[in-house]
Amino acid sequence: MKLEENQEDDFRLGALLREWQPEADWSKRRQAAVWDHIAAGESSTAPFISIWLSRLNEWLLRPQGAIVVLLVFALVGSGLGWVSGQYRLDRHSQTMTAQYIGSIDPYQMKPALFP
Amino acid sequence: MRRIRLLLLGGVALATATFFCFHAAQTRAIHEVETAPLPELAWLKSEFRLSDAEFKEVQRLHDAYLPQCGEMCLRIQEKNMEIRESLERADNTGVDVRMALREAALLRAECQGKMLEHFRRVSRAMPQEQGRRYFDWVVERTLLLDEGMPMPDSGRFSP
């Protein structure tokens, strides 16, 4: 008896859910309001970036700002030059090691080195 | 804006200049070594910080050792050919091969003995600390060269 009542309730609930349609307001006025809201959100970050950029601009135009920037460039250039020189030195050292060992060890000597 | 562009351009120029300065300073020794008559010996001089007199002695020892080394090379080649021929012989019973292999091992021992003697002489021609460093360095790359068999302390043993 109770099972039959439950089945009847489920059937009614199913029918109600099928009939239900959300009534959203997708009118042009509503859409414009949504876009305005998004634009307002974006414009709130714009002043922050422009303030930050103008401060950076001012700082770079000052002598100490320019000196710091030039120092950073000089440091980056010298660091990269040092690393690249070190890499070339290591490669050269490996080549010279192989060449020296090849000249003194008959078991590693290249065939072209002897008649 | 124009001043900032100029500043950035100046920065890039400065970075390029410092890059080449540091690179050239680091690799100046390479140029000196490569223009020497025997680059490997010139490199040895700079690597083991030898004075001109020490380098002269090392060079003399090297020149005296080279003919011995060349002779050893020829003997090794001949022995290898002998082993190959005895392996390829149709009526091979294994006796010839074993004998040739034994001779090759004796030749290797003789050759390594001569190498060791040369390394000792060269290391003695260097300042004590550098001589010790040279000896360890050269022995590691010649006599103790790992040819596939892992050394007990090389850390390549599987646990």
Side-chain angles (χ1 to χ4, degrees):
Chain A
M1 190 68 185
K2 201 155 194 177
L3 187 70
E4 277 173 17
E5 275 174 18
N6 281 345
Q7 276 179 339
E8 202 174 325
D9 286 348
D10 285 350
F11 179 74
R12 275 187 209 152
L13 183 64
L16 269 172
L17 284 172
R18 272 191 297 274
E19 280 170 17
W20 179 71
Q21 289 289 324
E23 284 176 19
D25 178 15
W26 290 114
S27 63
K28 285 204 169 172
R29 215 178 66 190
R30 177 74 182 153
Q31 283 183 35
V34 170
W35 281 116
D36 284 349
H37 188 73
I38 291 167
E42 280 175 353
S43 69
S44 69
T45 56
F48 173 75
I49 292 167
S50 64
I51 288 167
W52 190 82
L53 279 174
S54 69
R55 274 184 193 166
L56 180 73
N57 213 6
E58 276 169 34
W59 182 75
L60 286 175
L61 292 174
R62 277 188 222 144
Q64 58 263 47
I67 288 169
V68 168
V69 168
L70 290 177
L71 267 177
V72 167
F73 271 103
L75 270 175
V76 169
S78 51
L80 288 175
W82 189 86
V83 169
S84 118
Q86 196 60 41
Y87 176 73
R88 183 138 187 250
L89 265 184
D90 289 347
R91 291 284 302 271
H92 183 255
S93 177
Q94 282 170 14
T95 311
M96 287 297 114
T97 299
Q99 216 163 304
Y100 178 70
I101 297 295
S103 75
I104 53 164
D105 185 350
Y107 288 94
Q108 296 182 58
M109 202 172 259
K110 285 178 187 157
L113 290 176
F114 54 87
Chain B
M1 204 63 196
R2 194 167 159 269
R3 275 187 72 181
I4 289 173
R5 265 189 213 150
L6 273 175
L7 180 68
L8 292 176
L9 265 175
V12 170
L14 189 65
T16 312
T18 51
F19 174 88
F20 282 110
C21 283
F22 270 73
H23 185 86
Q26 286 267 88
T27 55
R28 196 176 49 201
I30 293 177
H31 181 72
E32 282 168 17
V33 164
E34 278 173 354
T35 50
L38 279 171
E40 65 270 25
L41 281 191
W43 172 79
L44 204 72
K45 184 187 179 194
S46 83
E47 177 66 26
F48 294 96
R49 297 179 203 106
L50 305 179
S51 68
D52 286 345
E54 288 157 354
F55 178 63
K56 216 172 176 179
E57 179 61 9
V58 167
Q59 198 165 9
R60 192 189 64 77
L61 290 168
H62 186 78
D63 290 344
Y65 171 75
L66 279 185
Q68 291 179 48
C69 189
E71 188 206 319
M72 281 289 169
C73 262
L74 290 175
R75 284 175 64 193
I76 291 162
Q77 262 200 332
E78 283 168 11
K79 192 53 67 188
N80 286 344
M81 280 174 72
E82 204 179 301
I83 293 168
R84 192 182 293 260
E85 278 167 14
S86 38
L87 278 168
E88 284 168 357
R89 219 168 285 151
D91 59 339
N92 176 30
T93 52
V95 179
D96 288 357
V97 180
R98 274 201 291 272
M99 193 180 281
L101 285 171
R102 196 173 295 126
E103 284 167 6
L106 285 172
L107 180 62
R108 191 179 188 99
E110 185 190 339
C111 185
Q112 288 185 326
K114 282 188 178 172
M115 279 160 67
L116 186 64
E117 188 52 40
H118 174 65
F119 301 156
R120 283 216 175 101
R121 281 185 186 148
V122 171
S123 69
R124 277 198 292 265
M126 292 180 174
Q128 200 178 13
E129 188 56 38
Q130 295 301 330
R132 199 176 300 133
R133 191 164 77 86
Y134 165 81
F135 188 78
D136 291 345
W137 173 82
V138 77
V139 161
E140 192 71 36
R141 279 157 185 81
T142 51
L143 305 178
L144 297 179
L145 191 69
D146 178 7
E147 288 174 339
M149 181 71 84
M151 301 287 281
D153 56 345
S154 68
R156 287 209 277 136
F157 270 130
S158 53

